[in-house]
Amino acid sequence: MPASASWASRPEDLVESLSSLDNTARLKAIRDVKNQIIGNKTKKLSYIKLGAVPRVVEILASDTEVPLLVQSAAAVGSFACGTDAGVRAVLDSGVLPHLLKMLQNGDTQVAEACARSLKMIFHSPLAPKSDMFQGHRMELLLKLLNHGNESVAEVAARVLARCCETKEHQLALANAGGLQSLVSLLAGSIKIREASLDALAALTKNNKHLSEMVIKLDNGDALASIIRLIKDKSSLTRLLACMCLANIGKACPGGYSQESEVRADMLSILMRLLDEPGQAGQDAPGVLADLVANNEELQKAAADQNAVEKLADFLLRKEVPSKQLEGVLLGLSELCSKLENSRRQLLDLQDLKSFNTSLALAAPLLLRPMVHGSLVAALRHPCDGVKVAACACVRSLSRSVKNLRTSLTSEQFVRPLLQLINDPSPAVQAEALTAVGNIVLDFTPQKSVIMQTDGIAQLINLAQSMDHTLRRNAVLALKNFLFMADITVKHRVIAELTIPTLCDLIQDPEEEVQEQAITLVRNLVHGEPDSIEQIFSDGGLLFQAIEKQLINPRPDIALQALYVINNVVSGSEVHKEAVMTSILSSQLASNTSWLTRFLQDTSNPQLRVVAVWCIINLLYPAGEDISSRVVRLREAGVEAQLHKMVDDSCLDVKSHVRTALEMYFGIRHIDGLQCI
Amino acid sequence: MPGQALPPPCTFLNVGQAFAGTQNVSNMNKDEAWKVNVRLQGCDMQNGYLCGSMEALNVPSAETPVVTFWEGELVDNRNYSFYTGQWDATKETDVKHWSKFASFLELREEVQKDGGKSLDLGNHPYIFMRWKEKFFVNVGSDCGLTIAGFYYVCFSRSDGSVNGFYYDPNSSPYQKLELKATNEGRAGHSFATYQFQ
């Protein structure tokens, strides 16, 4: 090899030559760089370090010769392919506007090379999203959808599919005529069809309005085209068509007449796609999750086709791509969201693969439930999407007393979940907190697993979050934690939460937080008199806060407050008298006591049932103060009201009204005897 | 079994509700009884599902109290009918056991005719159920008791009393369960709650 050739190919000199004033030298340099970096990550990184990327981009920005433009666009694509550092480098060099501009270049070769590079860039999660909606970029992309060159139209659809992330993006695209353009591409070649489906799926995701628009587009012809494509020869087309229809079905259930047949077809198609290699197989579990979401019938049909076992099998495999793992966990979460049989099937699956058959037969006890370890590993996965999906899966599995009584309340799950409720990602934090709400319900009075962690402090912290959903879910978790808890647990929660904070939550600006806080108090005062006493500590602040909620115009909130009062009346004489005083003072203040108002409420029998129980509890047990309470209740018009309810339309009310009246009768009878 | 309304609310089918009583084995060979405590831990009227724990105390054949976890089916003609269809119970076994409850007798004819599918059970003063123990909570399966069978249960809406008969082809027939709703020492009735998300 001549010495000069070796000198010319030195990387530093090649980079220098990229800015040569001689067109031929520039072309040669860029071609050499491009050839060296293709498929070679080390070389890519070394040229990035040497500052090659800005020079390559400069050629694209300022040159006009076709070969130079084609080579520089191709080099940009190579840098962006397969390495985040490469994507970052080309984006930092400001390549996007130049690539977009060059898509309109009159020369097909240039336009196609730029389209390929854009595709590479937008394959990466680092690609900008909102940026593409700034200025005239969106209009340009929409215009390019109708470009005569299919590669250009395809990349425009792909870029739109990747960038369209928010409702605003979706709406902006649709308002600019994007839906119509995309639908017209469905008749194109396989690549363009798939890009169009991809973009249509992005536009309809969680968007009822746009889903309805697609259903109605071209008098249903557009929808019919997508439905036809679920049976296409190409597996990726089938997958993407299913993705579109699953999004439309989820956002707009029952939106078109043949929906249930289409869904059933999609279920079988997706089940088969699970085994496909490549993107079709990787995305199939997530689409399956969207398909069966909120549809119990379809969840049953999926379970009948062995979907639980089939998806769970991926949890056992090594090196499943994150996106696929996320889809698998979401799929399992949906399948187990309502059906106890599916939950059991998943938790009872045994890891037969790790044992040979003879060993398994000889020692069945060695077989461990296989999903536990995989779920815990997924909770600790580096990728946020996987963590969210794993939390969702645990949440679905834990909607079952049986599962909570067996495996899910073990430290194995509790510790990682508690860690995740402080995750920096809001999505992970929210989903973990929801799962924790179920998991804390361990059905043992001592609640030892949570008591040994700092879980209570963490939940109390979140109960004071600025985000009202987090606040609501943290209070709900604390309420569940106090279900049938012993007094030690209750004392600890109240000591850490404090009565004033709990009162604030009862008067929270958000009604759903109020409701949860009141039900927390309901569990707090369920139990022995010591438990009830807590509502009267701190000068009775908590009791007063609950009393105020008895007149809340929302019946479900008032009902919970009434439950709290009922539980208080099941306590000591002092507790009963406190409630009695409350009844009488409300009578004085507004002529009709809250108790009578609940007895007269015809909106919800539950209100009347609990109100009647309050009376029964006030009359029990027959002790010293009973006669006086009977008289005071009669003066408050309660007995007369009970007489009006002997034929109440609700069986439960009717039967307990009778009990209450019998108690009245019994007490009067005893009083009569005493008088004699 | 569509077309049937949901059963109306029932105070004593609230989660956390405790029941206490006895189980009797009384036949020619033996006459034994032991104390039983039951706690309701789950109740989903929509799906006709109940579950809870059952504790058997001073069982002659067991050294310690035995706690089991059970799941129940509510005979609501929506989710479950009077016919068990599993656990070795034939239609004859079902009718024979249900008939031991006085409150069933007025329904028997309809049940024998067509399974009682047109009966309005939502407004009946008694709720019929099956309770099936699923696993031992605190002991091994060699504790001296079996959970192979299940209970036919008749539950009174008005006072929460429970009558039941255990059915297991391999155990003494008609072991009787008698429970009453209890306030566990409180001076009144109290309601706990939880909520799945």
Side-chain angles (χ1 to χ4, degrees), chain A residues 41 45 48 53 79-80 82-92 126:
Chain A
K41 199 172 165 185
L45 294 175
I48 290 169
V53 176
F79 274 116
T83 145
D84 284 351
V87 177
R88 222 172 274 126
V90 297
L91 289 173
D92 288 349
L126 295 173

Side-chain angles (χ1 to χ4, degrees), chain B residues 58-122:
Chain B
N58 60 13
V59 180
S61 55
E63 288 171 7
T64 56
V66 176
V67 183
T68 55
F69 176 78
W70 58 269
E71 292 186 299
E73 297 178 347
L74 239 120
V75 178
D76 54 7
N77 275 345
R78 280 176 90 247
N79 299 284
Y80 301 102
S81 78
F82 280 101
Y83 291 137
T84 308
Q86 55 182 337
W87 306 323
D88 294 329
T90 62
K91 287 184 177 179
E92 291 70 37
T93 322
D94 289 331
V95 172
K96 214 153 92 188
H97 280 82
W98 293 126
S99 299
K100 294 189 80 68
F101 303 119
S103 50
F104 177 76
L105 297 178
E106 57 171 351
L107 312 174
R108 184 163 67 182
E109 200 180 322
E110 287 283 310
V111 172
Q112 282 180 313
K113 198 172 74 191
D114 60 0
K117 60 186 176 198
S118 48
L119 290 168
D120 178 15
L121 296 171

Side-chain angles (χ1 to χ4, degrees), chain A residues 476-543:
Chain A
L476 184 148
L478 286 166
K479 165 187 88 175
N480 280 355
F481 183 63
L482 287 183
F483 173 71
M484 306 299 292
D486 69 19
I487 191 77
T488 323
V489 175
K490 288 176 179 172
H491 279 154
R492 181 156 156 208
V493 169
I494 288 303
E496 292 192 34
L497 178 62
T498 76
I499 297 283
T501 308
L502 184 49
C503 289
D504 287 346
L505 289 166
I506 291 169
Q507 291 147 25
D508 194 275
E510 297 294 329
E511 288 179 332
E512 53 178 6
V513 179
Q514 294 176 18
E515 190 177 353
Q516 293 304 327
I518 300 168
T519 42
L520 183 155
V521 181
R522 177 174 161 190
N523 277 344
L524 180 73
V525 297
H526 171 82
E528 64 272 45
D530 272 359
S531 292
I532 298 169
E533 197 54 43
Q534 297 182 92
I535 202 172
F536 296 107
S537 61
D538 271 18
L541 279 178
L542 197 48
F543 185 76

Side-chain angles (χ1 to χ4, degrees), chain A residues 149-167:
Chain A
N149 185 326
E150 280 213 344
S151 303
V152 174
E154 182 207 339
V155 80
R158 296 245 181 239
V159 171
L160 288 175
R162 293 287 82 80
C163 298
C164 187
E165 282 203 314
T166 64
K167 279 225 156 52

Side-chain angles (χ1 to χ4, degrees), chain A residues 47-62:
Chain A
Y47 275 105
I48 290 169
K49 265 193 192 155
L50 288 171
V53 176
R55 291 175 193 247
V56 171
V57 172
E58 182 55 31
I59 294 174
L60 193 66
S62 50

